Amino acid sequence: MSKNLVIVESPAKAKTIEGYLGKDFTVKSSYGHVRDLPKENDAIDIKNGFKPTYIISPEKIKVVNELKALAKSSDEVWLATDDDREGESISWHLKEALGLADNTKRIVFREITKKAIQNAIQNPRTIDVDLVNAQQARRVLDRLIGFELSPVLWSKVKKGLSAGRVQSVAVRIVVEREREIENFDSKSSFKIVALFNLKGGKVLQAELPKNFETEAQAKTFLEKCIGAEFKIKNLETKPAKKSPAPPFTTSTLQQEASRKLGYSVASTMSYAQKLYEAGKISYMRTDSTSLSEDAVQNATAAITAAYGAEFVQNRVYKTKDENAQEAHEAIRPTDFSANTAGSDLKEKRLYELIWKRAIASQMADAQLERTTATVSISTTSEDLVAQGEVIKFEGFLKVYLEGKDDEDDEENSKMLPPLNIGQILDLDLMKGTERFSRPPARYTEASLVKALEEKGVGRPSTYAPTISTIIKREYVVKEDRDGKERSFKEMVLKNNTITEKVNKETYGTEKSKLFPTSVGMVVNDFLVDNFKNVVDFKFTADVEDEFDEIAKGKIEWSEMIGNFYQGFHQTIEDSKGVDRNTVGSSRDLGIDPKTGKPISVRLGKFGPYVQLGEQKTKDEEKPQFFNLKKDQLVTTITLEEALALMELPKLPREVGFFEDKPMIIGAGKMGPYIKHDDKYTSLPPTEDPFTVTEARAIEIVIEKRQADVGSAIGIFEGEPITSGKGRFGPYVKHGGKFYSLGRGESLESISFDRAVEIINVKRNAEANKFLKEFPENDTIKVLNGMYGPYIQIGKRNVKIPKDMVPADLTLEDCIRLGEEAPAPAARGRKK
């Protein structure tokens, strides 16, 4: 047996590290956390300093037993989990679960390279209890909020709802943006643009540096320009420069990967995790923008070799967040000479993005020349302006340019043609075009991460799970939505004649944006009205700062929890008196003019709906129900919109025929669907069940058939692994068995190695169901259940005392416990 046991949390990480250590080291994975709070309400002893009770997760008992055996046979155990609070917490739980000494060696590194691993081995420390307590405080606080607040939501809003500290604030941000958009009053103005013909077929575009508020003002200006002489009044050229952005933090990587690659936040972190575990990039959860001296030297050498010494400009970036201390470097390549890495295309694209950003941060400024041309108009004192720029020296632009969330933020980088002061210009045409002010943009995943970071809500490790959670809980949906059509006016001056016309344009098209659902709106309003602290931006940011103070050893964690809990618990008690009818999950809209019956909108078990009529007695006619469309909300739908909804075709409806069989659009518990040939296909959220056409329905059915075939990931144990999406979400399939993907994982992010890992974890969990069997008595077994280990004696289930280790139980122990356990209550009528 090896003298040294190194424990990490990931199998892929274990494989990479084992290659850097000698034969005296064995590297094993804990597969993440091994202990957690049990699901019961008594997991936290509120009266005893909020002391938590932890249990070994049922699916991890076999892993823990194997690690415990390896630890006993090893001379030294090294805990090598990630270098952040969660990693420190995993190490502490491993120490406790395996019965290791307090001075067990803890090693940390921020990149998985031979040099970094060997350096960590030479510089071990012990577990940092302050970091553990900071993570423990987060876990306990979030459990207290969730367990006490969720039942309030069940009783006041809707069954099955849950609330979380950071997640509720994220929902509030999305909801408030939606309300800003709803209340936005768009105003029109007229923009003037002129095009001038130059020699050689070139065109100069110039604009009036202001907009006119009315059509009449714009037309008056165009009339002034009839027969006018246009001349270059002034040319002003100034040198300028652009500097590169700092290397990536977790937040900026998530934002840029969304903008440039179209990756979701969860996918970005999944690909980055794989690159880190393969030793290709430094640790991907960090607030820091700094680079180590070694990294700067490595980058300098790579830039010099590829582009020349004149492209080098070393910089030291200072991190804005003073608490950015857990991972002391930005995200960067471990080897700057390698400009590509990754096991598949998506990993490669992310690595290249990280490489370019880090390399560019140590490159010279781009040198520009910006020119502004002023065009005079002989018939008015107002001037037109044309701007452009020329790149004199590329510098870092040779490699990388940071993206923007708003296209309007992109700088105008077009070049101006050669011009001279006094030059007379030939006007081709001048336009006065009606333009409309735009409301604030809805959030994408990337811009929501930016907003959370700016408000101090959450930390690098929380952004991805926070967004995944609010989408999974259906407080927010991420989807595309079609724009609407509107008219705009345009006046064109050409050949000294003004013509006017009305054009059409589509506006408000949304791509991968976050929209609050009716549930999200109602829950948010209820929390804002009754639990201000839970969804208050400053309070949530202050809590994060207190976690940071705990990590520094400046605050005692249970005291921090106590200061919060007393007021929070009292608010919970006060909220029980809130009248459910005032919460907003139902509203009276008015009276139906055709039937005279009341119309209301309600939040139901399967979603929001409009209700026509009421049934106060059994003899009265039953109400009619109409599901809201995807872009309609309980909080905002009007009587007019409800009446229009009631005029739509009712579901189920026959939409057409395919392969000589009807296609029926219906609505079920899981949402709208297409029924064809006795098979059901879910209607995508982008489709409206009331208006979907026959042609589109056929496309959806065919797409579903192709998806059901599954996409091959690879061959494992002689059989293919395929992926697909079923009723309960995405899965991988192998050997006729289905294995659900983990939280936050998507089909596009699953590699062959991850698929094998998912399969093995499920197998281990299934194999771990039977903790102990007794050949001499096959009616008695020690099993793992949903709520922890128990003894099965025939058809009886017997609870195992907390002070006993299930795997150590003997047959005699089981028989004794069975005899001591109270007999089950007899069934049947009481006598």
Side-chain angles (χ1 to χ4, degrees):
M1 201 64 204
S2 295
K3 296 179 182 179
N4 297 275
L5 172 64
V6 180
I7 304 177
V8 297
E9 66 273 67
S10 158
K13 188 176 175 183
K15 184 178 179 182
T16 307
I17 292 174
E18 198 162 45
Y20 295 136
L21 297 172
K23 61 182 180 180
D24 290 338
F25 287 83
T26 296
V27 185
K28 292 294 181 180
S29 169
S30 69
Y31 294 89
H33 282 279
V34 296
R35 299 200 312 172
D36 198 3
L37 299 170
K39 295 180 179 179
E40 292 77 19
N41 284 4
D42 59 357
I44 299 166
D45 188 348
I46 295 171
K47 296 180 180 178
N48 189 22
F50 301 96
K51 184 180 178 181
T53 297
Y54 295 105
I55 62 168
I56 296 174
S57 304
E59 70 274 11
K60 293 296 176 67
I61 291 177
K62 184 176 180 181
V63 172
V64 168
N65 288 339
E66 289 174 351
L67 291 175
K68 191 181 291 185
L70 288 170
K72 286 181 179 178
S73 62
S74 301
D75 295 339
E76 195 81 69
V77 177
W78 308 73
L79 299 173
T81 51
D82 286 341
D83 185 21
D84 58 12
R85 293 174 197 169
E86 187 169 8
E88 205 73 17
S89 179
I90 292 174
S91 279
W92 179 75
H93 282 294
L94 279 167
K95 178 184 79 71
E96 296 291 309
L98 303 183
L100 303 177
D102 288 343
N103 64 351
T104 297
K105 291 181 177 178
R106 167 85 167 108
I107 57 173
V108 294
F109 38 84
R110 297 178 186 90
E111 59 182 55
I112 304 178
T113 60
K114 188 172 184 178
K115 180 180 177 181
I117 300 303
Q118 291 178 344
N119 183 61
I121 292 288
Q122 292 168 10
N123 298 279
R125 59 172 173 82
T126 56
I127 291 172
D128 188 328
V129 178
D130 290 329
L131 292 180
V132 174
N133 285 339
Q135 185 67 17
Q136 185 165 243
R138 179 187 293 276
R139 187 75 182 92
V140 169
L141 182 63
D142 289 347
R143 168 59 71 91
L144 288 172
I145 290 175
F147 263 67
E148 295 214 3
L149 189 51
S150 295
V152 176
L153 294 179
W154 302 344
S155 65
K156 304 300 180 184
V157 183
K158 180 184 173 186
K159 285 284 186 183
L161 297 177
S162 58
R165 184 177 53 86
V166 177
Q167 296 95 318
S168 296
V169 173
V171 173
R172 181 180 180 181
I173 292 173
V174 175
V175 167
E176 290 191 349
R177 177 56 54 87
E178 192 68 22
R179 291 231 161 93
E180 285 182 65
I181 294 168
E182 288 171 4
N183 297 327
F184 184 78
D185 182 16
S186 182
K187 295 182 179 179
S188 68
S189 61
F190 284 79
K191 182 180 183 66
I192 304 295
V193 176
L195 300 179
F196 299 97
N197 294 323
L198 303 178
K199 292 180 180 179
K202 295 182 178 179
V203 175
L204 173 67
Q205 178 177 311
E207 301 175 358
L208 193 68
K210 70 172 185 178
N211 284 10
F212 291 109
E213 293 183 2
T214 66
E215 179 183 359
Q217 291 171 334
K219 187 173 182 180
T220 298
F221 178 81
L222 291 179
E223 289 171 344
K224 287 182 183 179
C225 293
I226 294 174
E229 179 183 78
F230 300 89
K231 182 166 61 176
I232 299 295
K233 178 180 178 180
N234 188 41
L235 287 171
E236 185 177 15
T237 300
K238 290 183 179 180
K241 69 176 183 179
K242 283 183 179 177
S243 298
F248 283 128
T249 61
T250 302
S251 166
T252 54
L253 175 64
Q254 291 169 348
Q255 293 171 53
E256 194 75 337
S258 174
R259 287 189 290 250
K260 287 186 177 290
L261 306 179
Y263 292 173
S264 69
V265 169
S267 294
T268 295
M269 296 310 293
S270 175
Y271 303 141
Q273 178 87 34
K274 291 170 187 173
L275 290 169
Y276 166 68
E277 291 173 348
K280 302 304 180 184
I281 63 171
S282 59
Y283 193 49
M284 67 287 164
R285 292 190 181 96
T286 174
D287 284 328
S288 176
T289 55
S290 65
L291 296 177
S292 67
E293 289 185 14
D294 284 349
V296 171
Q297 291 173 9
N298 195 338
T300 298
I303 295 165
T304 303
Y307 308 110
E310 69 274 20
F311 280 86
V312 175
Q313 184 178 333
N314 293 146
R315 294 176 176 80
V316 177
Y317 293 94
K318 292 185 178 180
T319 304
K320 295 178 182 178
D321 185 356
E322 62 181 16
N323 292 311
Q325 58 182 355
E326 294 174 34
H328 300 291
E329 273 200 88
I331 304 170
R332 60 164 177 82
T334 55
D335 180 4
F336 280 86
S337 66
N339 59 12
T340 185
S343 61
D344 59 34
L345 179 60
K346 293 190 174 182
E347 282 181 40
K348 283 183 170 66
R349 294 180 69 198
L350 186 66
Y351 176 84
E352 288 165 6
L353 189 69
I354 293 168
W355 181 87
K356 288 177 180 179
R357 176 85 163 219
I359 278 281
S361 75
Q362 299 303 311
M363 291 180 71
D365 292 335
Q367 301 299 325
L368 312 173
E369 186 177 81
R370 288 187 177 144
T371 301
T372 301
T374 305
V375 179
S376 65
I377 307 170
S378 62
T379 55
T380 178
S381 60
E382 295 179 278
D383 298 326
L384 302 173
V385 175
Q387 293 181 318
E389 68 182 28
V390 176
I391 297 175
K392 293 294 187 181
F393 175 66
E394 285 181 291
F396 78 94
L397 291 177
K398 198 168 188 72
V399 175
Y400 180 82
L401 178 63
E402 184 182 17
K404 302 287 183 182
D405 284 320
D406 191 336
E407 292 178 3
D408 286 354
D409 288 342
E410 297 286 359
E411 292 187 41
N412 184 354
S413 59
K414 65 179 181 292
M415 290 177 58
L416 293 183
L419 299 169
N420 300 302
I421 293 178
Q423 180 178 346
I424 304 299
L425 299 175
D426 175 23
L427 178 67
D428 178 27
L429 60 86
M430 184 182 289
K431 285 184 180 180
T433 307
E434 186 177 20
R435 287 290 173 250
F436 299 87
S437 57
R438 296 189 300 176
R442 287 185 174 88
Y443 287 103
T444 60
E445 286 195 20
S447 59
L448 181 56
V449 166
K450 185 177 181 180
L452 289 169
E453 185 181 41
E454 288 174 346
K455 294 179 185 296
V457 176
R459 288 295 182 261
S461 62
T462 66
Y463 300 139
T466 293
I467 293 174
S468 297
T469 298
I470 63 175
I471 292 175
K472 183 176 181 179
R473 289 177 178 171
E474 296 184 349
Y475 292 154
V476 168
V477 292
K478 176 186 174 183
E479 62 187 24
D480 302 341
R481 289 191 182 174
D482 295 333
K484 300 176 182 177
E485 190 176 74
R486 70 180 169 199
S487 301
F488 69 94
K489 297 175 182 177
E490 189 173 66
M491 296 171 283
V492 179
L493 168 62
K494 189 176 178 68
N495 298 328
N496 290 326
T497 302
I498 297 175
T499 58
E500 300 180 28
K501 60 181 178 179
V502 176
N503 294 326
K504 300 281 187 181
E505 66 178 358
T506 300
Y507 74 100
T509 302
E510 304 283 13
K511 180 73 174 175
S512 296
K513 293 293 180 68
L514 299 177
F515 298 84
T517 62
S518 288
V519 174
M521 299 283 275
V522 172
V523 168
N524 174 76
D525 293 350
F526 175 73
L527 293 179
V528 169
D529 289 342
N530 298 280
F531 296 90
K532 288 184 172 62
N533 274 4
V534 174
V535 288
D536 180 73
F537 301 133
K538 186 177 185 306
F539 168 78
T540 309
D542 288 345
V543 168
E544 295 293 346
D545 291 340
E546 288 183 306
F547 290 153
D548 294 335
E549 294 298 292
I550 294 169
K552 296 173 186 175
K554 295 182 178 180
I555 298 180
E556 205 282 314
W557 76 270
S558 59
E559 182 181 335
M560 174 258 179
I561 300 292
N563 291 338
F564 164 81
Y565 182 76
Q566 186 175 2
F568 172 72
H569 183 70
Q570 185 57 50
T571 308
I572 290 286
E573 294 300 314
D574 294 343
S575 70
K576 293 177 181 178
V578 174
D579 183 355
R580 178 167 184 161
N581 294 325
T582 66
V583 170
S585 55
S586 63
R587 288 193 303 129
D588 293 328
L589 299 179
I591 301 297
D592 178 22
K594 291 184 179 178
T595 64
K597 294 180 180 179
I599 298 176
S600 58
V601 60
R602 301 166 187 256
L603 196 58
K605 183 178 180 180
F606 304 117
Y609 62 90
V610 165
Q611 177 175 314
L612 173 63
E614 292 182 2
Q615 187 179 28
K616 295 179 180 178
T617 65
K618 290 183 179 181
D619 296 331
E620 287 186 284
E621 187 181 353
K622 289 184 178 180
Q624 290 181 270
F625 306 102
F626 307 86
N627 292 328
L628 266 62
K629 299 168 76 171
K630 65 181 181 181
D631 59 348
Q632 293 177 324
L633 297 169
V634 165
T635 53
T636 58
I637 188 171
T638 63
L639 174 62
E640 291 71 23
E641 290 170 334
L643 291 171
L645 195 66
M646 290 158 51
E647 293 298 320
L648 290 172
K650 292 183 180 180
L651 299 181
R653 70 182 182 95
E654 186 177 293
V655 72
F657 281 78
F658 177 50
E659 297 174 342
D660 295 327
K661 293 176 182 176
M663 294 183 294
I664 308 298
I665 307 295
K669 292 182 179 180
M670 309 300 291
Y673 59 81
I674 304 172
K675 182 182 178 183
H676 174 258
D677 194 18
D678 290 329
K679 294 178 182 177
Y680 294 84
T681 301
S682 293
L683 205 63
T686 53
E687 302 294 338
D688 187 335
F690 300 105
T691 59
V692 67
T693 64
E694 178 184 38
R696 179 59 185 138
I698 292 172
E699 288 178 1
I700 293 168
V701 170
I702 293 173
E703 287 168 4
K704 175 66 164 52
R705 286 180 182 177
Q706 294 170 344
D708 285 344
V709 173
S711 56
I713 295 176
I715 303 297
F716 177 54
E717 297 176 343
E719 294 191 48
I721 300 176
T722 60
S723 65
K725 194 167 185 179
R727 180 181 177 186
F728 302 106
Y731 61 81
V732 292
K733 183 180 179 183
H734 178 259
K737 292 187 176 181
F738 296 86
Y739 303 86
S740 295
L741 270 56
R743 290 183 179 180
E745 292 185 306
S746 57
L747 291 177
E748 62 266 21
S749 69
I750 296 299
S751 65
F752 173 75
D753 288 343
R754 177 59 183 145
V756 171
E757 183 179 337
I758 290 169
I759 292 168
N760 284 331
V761 168
K762 180 73 178 295
R763 285 178 176 177
N764 288 338
E766 290 177 348
N768 202 29
K769 181 178 180 181
F770 292 88
L771 295 180
K772 204 156 191 178
E773 297 181 83
F774 305 99
E776 62 270 37
N777 190 334
D778 61 3
T779 64
I780 299 178
K781 300 177 179 67
V782 183
L783 302 175
N784 245 331
M786 183 181 297
Y787 303 106
Y790 64 95
I791 301 169
Q792 185 182 77
I793 303 177
K795 294 183 178 181
R796 287 180 62 203
N797 294 336
V798 178
K799 189 175 182 180
I800 300 173
K802 290 184 178 180
D803 59 348
M804 301 188 77
V805 179
D808 294 342
L809 291 174
T810 64
L811 178 60
E812 290 71 24
D813 291 333
C814 295
I815 294 172
R816 177 175 55 80
L817 291 171
E819 291 173 346
E820 293 174 354
R827 295 181 180 179
R829 185 183 302 170
K830 292 182 180 180
K831 294 182 179 180

